[in-house]
Amino acid sequence: MVDEADRSYLKLAIEQAQLGWEEGGIPIGAALVHDGEVLAVGRNRRIQMGSAIRHGETDCIENAGRQPARVYRESVLYTTLSPCFMCAGTAVMYEIPRIVIGENRTFQASEEWLRSRGVQIDVVDDETCRSLMERMIREKPELWAEDIGEIGEGK
């Protein structure tokens, strides 16, 4: 169940997604929260950093820095888009028990796998998250294809 606190933390992830879009990147953001304290926020910065792996969730977890294992095991990851398998694997590796997803209509790959690993998944179906992704896919389809690993011949 998603409450008002969840919505406020998701809003931080949305702000990161919007910032990433304004920077010329892919509009996916994340926030990591432990016991009501925001540990970090992040955004997909693959384009900005020329990175192969800097998705919103991985950027956020990297920005959180080294934390005791128990902190990750008691945290919630908020993300504007349903995680890919790389981001899901990172969450599982750190035993993050809950992920709040802004939207999963645009993309959904790992939710069942995450659930099978004991992760609680809550989907908000947020209009702003959907609109950001729809716009990006419409205006920059080649970046979206690259981000989800659909790289064509010769690339």
Side-chain angles (χ1 to χ4, degrees):
M1 204 63 173
V2 176
D3 61 19
E4 285 307 309
D6 289 326
R7 291 183 187 282
S8 70
Y9 298 130
L10 181 60
K11 185 177 179 191
L12 295 174
I14 292 169
E15 289 169 0
Q16 287 294 304
Q18 291 169 327
L19 181 58
W21 179 249
E22 291 166 9
E23 293 171 341
I26 296 166
I28 302 170
L32 184 65
V33 178
H34 175 259
D35 198 24
E37 176 188 348
V38 178
L39 297 178
V41 294
R43 61 190 174 277
N44 185 309
R45 296 195 300 164
R46 291 185 63 251
I47 305 304
Q48 299 92 312
M49 296 179 76
S51 171
I53 62 170
R54 213 58 181 253
H55 283 191
E57 300 90 337
T58 56
D59 186 58
C60 179
I61 291 169
E62 174 67 17
N63 290 341
R66 292 180 64 202
Q67 299 290 330
R70 70 165 182 76
V71 170
Y72 288 109
R73 291 179 189 137
E74 299 168 354
S75 293
V76 178
L77 181 62
Y78 295 84
T79 180
T80 57
L81 184 66
S82 187
C84 71
F85 279 107
M86 177 178 67
C87 295
T90 302
V92 166
M93 185 176 88
Y94 285 99
E95 298 181 43
I96 297 171
R98 181 175 179 234
I99 301 175
V100 176
I101 297 169
E103 73 103 347
N104 65 356
R105 293 186 199 188
T106 305
F107 178 80
Q108 186 180 145
S110 68
E111 290 177 31
E112 286 306 313
W113 181 78
L114 283 161
R115 286 184 185 101
S116 78
R117 305 292 298 196
V119 179
Q120 178 183 336
I121 302 296
D122 292 306
V123 180
V124 176
D125 197 26
D126 181 85
E127 174 62 34
T128 302
C129 294
R130 284 194 320 268
S131 295
L132 279 166
M133 290 308 301
E134 288 167 0
R135 179 178 179 194
M136 200 274 312
I137 291 168
R138 184 176 60 251
E139 293 180 15
K140 299 181 180 181
E142 71 287 350
L143 290 182
W144 175 240
E146 177 187 334
D147 200 60
I148 59 173
E150 293 181 5
I151 300 170
E153 286 290 318
K155 291 190 179 183

